[in-house]
Amino acid sequence: MAGKNLKRIVIYLLLLGIVSAITFYFLSNFSGGIEWGKVINFFVANPWGFLGILSLLFSWITDTFITYILIRKLIRVPFSFLKSFNMSIIGIFFNKLSPASTGGSVFQIAYLKRNGINFGSSVSITELRYIIKQSAMVVAAAMGFLIALQVVERNEITFVLSFLGFGLSIGGILILILINVSSKVRSSLLTITKWAIGLLRFSKKLSPKIPDLRQKAEKEFKNYVQSMKMISTNWKFIIPVFFLALLSALGHLFLAFAAVQSFGIFENIPKGMLEVISLQAIATTIIFFSPTPGSSGLAEGGFYLFFSTIVPPKFLATVTLEWRILSYFVPLALSGIIFLIIFFHGMVSTRK
């Protein structure tokens, strides 16, 4: 299993490298090109680069609190803050490698299972995390929508993409909520799951296990429903968790402003920050659905397109690269290192 995961990571990294190389080529040859000295200075000596790193860490810590509170309130099992941090980091790492930022949830579920939480409850926790975090990002985009429209109204493409991003994000959230609140939908999913398990009859090895697998599926669906009932009876704690998710989202959106303001573009910083965060919130709702690993290509293209209205052309390619390194490559590297530590520590613990 570890070998398959490693192979998958290598494939994603190769695809990421190819798409990133093509993207950097276009950035280097259009709109004034990339000033590599400015990029290095941003991370070494520019105070906005330092503020960007702090904002990234702030986003991670608030995300960890979301995990910690959800597990302690819903599952009520011993689960330390460090384990919550590990779960968040695992999600960040695999989201950075997977299309549409979806791979992290699978590995988060596996991590929860490994730490004594049943599959159904693991799914419900991970799903609820996604709904809350995605809802927070949509609310952030909605709050800044009117401000963003004043900036992008000159560009029909960005105007259309803004509505598309809202539609996709809200649609995904509504589907998950429908699964949670509708017993008929859950029953249909269970029926489909049992039917899919029945297809294993072609395998002599797996065919005898079909009754046990179906029974296990029923059990995990019951665990899932039980977790959902816990949410409905303890819904008030969702409010502070949502505000944490909103803070986490704002911390991540601030990275765009750090990159833009590193060139001193805005004299009125509060107004400029509001405009940048509003634009980036809308752009992020679209970037979420990119089919490429880590949203490579679409993320840079989306940033370039949305911010072409407020960033001077001669700075735009460099600002785009600064933002991408700060929002993607730095988190990928840091979360990757931490994931390897978690992975090898788990291997050592298993052997003991």
Side-chain angles (χ1 to χ4, degrees):
M1 187 68 179
K4 289 182 179 180
N5 289 335
L6 181 60
K7 183 179 180 181
R8 187 180 303 172
I9 291 173
V10 171
I11 292 172
Y12 282 150
L13 288 175
L14 286 173
L15 289 173
L16 173 62
I18 293 170
V19 176
S20 296
I22 295 172
T23 303
F24 292 159
Y25 170 79
F26 281 107
L27 287 176
S28 298
N29 288 275
F30 293 95
S31 192
I34 297 172
E35 296 183 51
W36 289 99
K38 294 280 189 181
V39 174
I40 295 171
N41 181 72
F42 177 69
F43 291 98
V44 174
N46 194 304
W48 286 105
F50 177 70
L51 286 174
I53 296 293
L54 287 180
S55 186
L56 178 66
L57 296 176
F58 171 78
S59 179
W60 285 12
I61 293 299
T62 48
D63 187 74
T64 300
F65 271 110
I66 293 169
T67 302
Y68 182 73
I69 293 172
L70 288 179
I71 293 175
R72 295 299 294 265
K73 287 288 186 180
L74 295 180
I75 310 301
R76 296 177 181 175
V77 298
F79 202 82
S80 66
F81 188 80
L82 178 60
K83 287 183 179 180
S84 300
F85 178 74
N86 290 345
M87 179 181 165
S88 293
I89 290 297
I90 288 170
I92 290 168
F93 178 62
F94 285 100
N95 279 341
K96 297 298 181 185
L97 291 177
S98 60
S101 299
T102 55
S105 297
V106 175
F107 289 91
Q108 285 177 326
I109 291 169
Y111 182 77
L112 290 176
K113 273 200 68 184
R114 185 169 184 173
N115 284 274
I117 299 175
N118 63 65
F119 181 77
S121 297
S122 298
V123 171
S124 67
I125 288 291
T126 307
E127 184 181 281
L128 182 60
R129 257 178 54 90
Y130 175 83
I131 292 173
I132 293 173
K133 286 172 64 65
Q134 191 76 351
S135 298
M137 185 60 73
V138 169
V139 168
M143 289 169 62
F145 191 62
L146 293 178
I147 296 172
L149 282 182
Q150 296 173 16
V151 181
V152 303
E153 61 184 356
R154 291 168 289 173
N155 192 319
E156 293 181 2
I157 297 176
T158 51
F159 183 80
V160 172
L161 287 176
S162 298
F163 280 100
L164 179 63
F166 269 118
L168 290 172
S169 298
I170 294 173
I173 293 169
L174 290 177
I175 289 172
L176 291 176
I177 291 175
L178 180 63
I179 294 172
N180 292 332
V181 301
S182 174
S183 58
K184 289 184 179 180
V185 173
R186 290 196 299 270
S187 297
S188 299
L189 286 175
L190 179 57
T191 301
I192 294 171
T193 302
K194 287 182 175 181
W195 172 81
I197 292 173
L199 296 177
L200 298 175
R201 291 190 183 92
F202 73 90
S203 171
K204 292 182 179 180
K205 185 177 180 180
L206 296 176
S207 184
K209 298 180 180 180
I210 288 177
D212 290 337
L213 290 173
R214 283 177 168 170
Q215 188 176 5
K216 187 174 181 180
E218 288 184 2
K219 179 183 176 182
E220 296 302 348
F221 264 82
K222 288 179 181 178
N223 289 332
Y224 177 86
V225 172
Q226 186 62 34
S227 295
M228 290 300 107
K229 287 181 179 178
M230 289 287 290
I231 295 171
S232 63
T233 56
N234 296 276
W235 62 269
K236 289 183 179 180
F237 83 91
I238 297 295
I239 297 174
V241 172
F242 175 80
F243 279 106
L244 281 173
L246 191 58
L247 288 175
S248 180
L250 291 174
H252 188 75
L253 295 174
F254 179 82
L255 305 182
F257 181 73
V260 171
Q261 192 56 24
S262 66
F263 282 86
I265 292 173
F266 295 106
E267 292 183 6
N268 186 341
I269 289 180
K271 182 177 182 295
M273 186 186 304
L274 200 58
E275 288 182 356
V276 170
I277 287 178
S278 299
L279 273 178
Q280 185 58 24
I282 294 175
T284 301
T285 61
I286 301 167
I287 292 170
F288 273 146
F289 297 94
S290 171
T292 57
S295 302
S296 291
L298 182 62
E300 294 89 346
F303 185 93
Y304 192 97
L305 179 64
F306 273 86
F307 286 93
S308 62
T309 55
I310 61 175
V311 177
K314 63 179 180 179
F315 299 145
L316 188 54
T318 306
V319 169
T320 301
L321 182 58
E322 286 181 355
W323 166 77
R324 186 57 171 164
I325 293 174
L326 183 59
S327 66
Y328 182 78
F329 289 102
V330 170
L332 176 64
L334 291 178
S335 62
I337 292 170
I338 296 172
F339 170 73
L340 288 175
I341 294 172
I342 296 169
F343 178 76
F344 286 116
H345 181 267
M347 288 182 62
V348 172
S349 300
T350 302
R351 288 179 180 177
K352 288 181 178 180

